[in-house]
Amino acid sequence: MPDVHVLLLAETLPDAERLASGWRAAAPHAGTETRAVRVPGADAVPSPAAAPGHGPAGGSVLLAGSAIPVGRPAAVGPQDAGPAHPGPSAPGPAPSVLAPAEGAALARAAGDADVVVAYVTRLDGEALRRGVVVEAAAAAAPHAVPVVVLTERSEVTRREWSTAGLSGVHELAGGDVGRVARTWTPAWTR
């Protein structure tokens, strides 16, 4: 039985397995599980829609995938409270777009892990709204499992990625996964 269980996610299985190999070399007592997470339509760029119930003077601000309405609401009263009008969404992981069975399987795997690692070649605003990073954060959030992103290049601020539910972002210098593995794996597992 491994001392630490690491779930490694990427868009392709070869990428996830390459990361797992580097992780195991740096922390041999860590157990790794790899999965490819392919989000349907991830190549398409979604356009943020204005929140319902806000007049022409209103709009929305996109904050790490959550549309937060700004401006004066069209109507405010007791009829506007409750589940039909929940208001703006709170900052945090964007919702999953995976099929329910696939999302549930990923959530179970994340619940069994000590850390979830997601790999993208470039971490930008779009990657915080759609793709493997979002799915990793959505799967891990209910279990309070930390999510770490490995990337070749990060173009987002700490505030942006932490608002999206991530615990860490590491740019891979020359593909050195070992440095990150040693950071996120306790010393007694090495």
Side-chain angles (χ1 to χ4, degrees):
M1 180 87 178
D3 295 326
V4 174
H5 181 75
V6 181
L7 177 62
L8 293 129
L9 308 173
E11 288 183 356
T12 66
L13 195 54
D15 281 341
E17 289 171 346
R18 177 180 50 84
L19 296 171
S21 175
W23 198 286
R24 284 189 305 268
H29 297 294
T32 59
E33 177 183 352
T34 58
R35 288 182 184 236
V37 178
R38 218 33 212 147
V39 175
D43 300 332
V45 177
S47 60
H54 286 263
S60 64
V61 174
L62 194 60
L63 176 65
S66 301
I68 299 177
V70 295
R72 182 179 166 88
V76 177
Q79 75 279 4
D80 295 320
H85 303 282
S89 59
S96 174
V97 296
L98 294 177
E102 192 176 346
L106 186 58
R108 279 191 303 277
D112 292 338
D114 294 302
V115 64
V116 175
V117 179
Y119 170 76
V120 290
T121 54
R122 184 177 75 175
L123 182 62
D124 58 8
E126 180 61 25
L128 292 179
R129 288 189 291 280
R130 185 172 186 85
V132 68
V133 172
V134 170
E135 299 305 330
H143 307 287
V145 174
V147 178
V148 177
V149 174
L150 300 179
T151 185
E152 304 300 323
R153 181 176 172 178
S154 177
E155 299 175 356
V156 296
T157 66
R158 181 183 179 104
R159 179 174 289 174
E160 289 170 320
W161 58 255
S162 63
T163 300
L166 306 178
S167 299
V169 172
H170 298 273
E171 289 184 338
L172 295 176
D176 183 18
V177 177
R179 173 183 57 87
V180 180
R182 288 185 297 275
T183 299
W184 285 93
T185 307
W188 48 265
T189 65
R190 291 185 222 139

